[in-house]
Amino acid sequence: MIFLKLFFTFFKIGLFSFGGGYGMLPLILQETVKNGWLTESEFYSFLAVAESTPGPIAVNMATYVGSTQGMFTYGGNVFFGALGSIIATLGVIMPSIIIILLIVAILKNFLKYRAVRCALMGMKPLICGMIMATGITLAITNILPNLYSFSLKGFSYMALIVTAILAGIYFGYKKLFKKNLSPILLILISAVFGMLLL
Amino acid sequence: MNKLKDALKLFAIFFKIGLFTFGGGYAMISVITHEIVEKRKYISNAEFSDLVAIAESTPGPIAINSATYIGYRKAGVLGAIFSSIGVCLPSLIIIFLISLFFTDILKYTLVQKAFRGIQCGVSILVFMAGVKLLKNIEKNWISYTLIALSVLVMLSMKFFSYSFSTIFIVLFGAVLGIAVYLPKEKKAENRPIAQDSDKKEGGDTE
C-alpha cells in the first residue's frame, strides 16, 4: 500500500533527521532513492524547485514525492496525487509536532539536561559533515559522473567551469555586499549558465 | 471557544509565514521573529532564543518545530496543530500544483540544460549550508575528527556502493557525545567555575 509506505517513510525521515531542512537532505535522498521514488538527478532537480518555492524544504520534498507516487500508482489520477502529498507531508511533520509538544509541555528543561547537550555536541559535527558531503557528492556527479566507478570518462569541463563561475559569483557577492546571495537568485543564474553552456 | 479563535488566528499568521518565506527554516526564523516576537509579542525575545535552540536540536523541519512551540504557548495543543498545518499548507498547495507538470517539463532539452546548470549551483548551496553549521560546533579535535569522518563515510558509501542509513551516523554521534563529553562535564561540575560554562552553552544560539 503506497500511502502507508509514504507515511511511514516520511515519518521516519521526520523522526531521525536533525539540523533542519539541509540536515534532512541526506536521509531524504537515501530513502527516496532506495524506494525507487526518485533518481538522484531528479532529487537534485527538484531540490532546486524546493529551494525556489516558499516553505520548509522537507515539506516540499514530501509533498512532491507523495503527489508523484500517488499519481503514478493510480494511473495518473490527480486525486490520489493530492492524497499522497497530504499523507507524506503529515508523515514528515508529525514527529516534530509530537516531540515539541512533549518538550514544551512536559520536559520543560530539555536543553538543560547534560546528557542531551552532550549528545548534541557529538551529533552536530556529523550532521555538518553529512551536509557538506552531500554538496561535494553533487559537485563530483556534475563534473565527473563516472568517478564513482573509478573512471574519468564523461568528464564535463563545462560543468567544472560553470561551477567555478557560480562559486565565484557566490563568494564575490558575499565579499562585496557582506551578505549571502539569495538561493533563488543563484538558482536563476545557474539556470541561465546551464542553458548557455551545458 | 476562545482557544479555537486563537488557534484560527495562529493558523492565518503561520499560513502567511509559510507563504512568504523562501529558503527553508533559517530564513523563516527571521520572519517569525518579526511576526511573533516583535509585532504580536506572543513570546519574549529570551524565550524565542530558547525556542530556536530547541528547534535546531530536535529532529524535523525547523519551521514546523517553531510553529508547534509557539502555537502551544498561545493556544495549547489545538494551537500547535493549527500553526503547524498553517505553516506547511502553502507549500503543500504550491508543490502539489508544480508536481502535476514538473516531470513533463524536464523532458525539454533546454530545461534539462537549465537544470544541469542549476545542479552546479545547488551543489554550492548545499555545501555552504554545511559550512554555516560549523559555527555551532564545539571547537576541538573531537569535532574536527567527526566532521572528517562523516564526510569520508558519506563519500565512501558513494564510491564503494554500499549503504547504511544516515540515522546510524547520527545515533553514533549521540552515543559518542555522551560517552566523551558527559564524564568531562561531570568532572567539571565538582569545580565551582563549571556553572558559568554551562550558561554560555545556552546563549550560543543567538
Side-chain angles (χ1 to χ4, degrees), chain B residues 5-199:
Chain B
K5 224 173 161 185
D6 278 342
L8 285 172
K9 197 168 170 205
L10 282 163
F11 177 84
I13 297 167
F14 275 100
F15 187 89
K16 190 173 127 195
I17 293 174
L19 186 59
F20 291 111
T21 0
F22 292 80
Y26 286 97
M28 215 167 261
I29 286 177
S30 61
V31 183
I32 294 177
T33 320
H34 176 72
E35 289 284 329
I36 302 290
V37 184
E38 288 163 10
K39 212 162 114 189
R40 289 170 227 272
K41 303 197 168 41
Y42 282 178
I43 59 173
S44 70
N45 230 330
E47 190 174 6
F48 187 73
S49 43
D50 277 356
L51 181 166
V52 175
I54 290 174
E56 283 176 342
S57 318
T58 45
I62 289 176
I64 307 292
N65 295 347
S66 315
T68 306
Y69 186 105
I70 294 164
Y72 180 83
R73 265 280 180 274
K74 188 72 189 146
V77 176
L78 200 64
I81 293 170
F82 273 59
S83 305
S84 303
I85 292 179
V87 84
C88 61
L89 201 55
S91 299
L92 189 73
I93 297 166
I94 295 168
I95 299 292
F96 174 68
L97 294 175
I98 291 176
S99 77
L100 297 177
F101 58 82
F102 187 64
T103 356
D104 292 325
I105 4 173
L106 280 182
K107 288 184 187 123
Y108 296 100
T109 321
L110 195 64
V111 177
Q112 281 171 8
K113 282 172 159 234
F115 271 99
R116 247 176 273 152
I118 286 172
Q119 296 199 353
C120 295
V122 168
S123 71
I124 297 169
L125 287 176
V126 174
F127 182 76
M128 289 313 291
V131 171
K132 269 176 218 156
L133 287 186
L134 282 174
K135 68 174 195 305
N136 297 332
I137 285 168
E138 295 292 304
K139 307 279 178 291
N140 61 30
W141 65 269
I142 304 171
S143 296
Y144 301 132
T145 315
L146 287 176
I147 294 171
L149 189 73
S150 73
V151 172
L152 281 178
V153 167
M154 294 293 285
L155 288 180
S156 77
M157 272 204 248
K158 211 50 205 164
F159 276 104
F160 301 107
S161 39
Y162 67 100
S163 167
F164 59 87
S165 180
T166 58
I167 295 171
F168 296 118
I169 300 182
V170 176
L171 289 181
F172 167 75
V175 173
L176 191 94
I178 291 173
V180 172
Y181 291 114
L182 199 56
K184 273 191 197 168
E185 289 224 347
K186 282 232 170 98
K187 213 187 277 173
E189 171 109 317
N190 298 331
R191 274 177 275 140
I193 332 153
Q195 235 96 40
D196 285 14
S197 66
D198 269 10
K199 287 263 162 54

Side-chain angles (χ1 to χ4, degrees), chain A residues 5 71 75 160 171 179 197:
Chain A
K5 187 131 209 225
M71 274 192 284
L160 179 64
F171 291 108
K179 60 174 183 184
L197 299 176

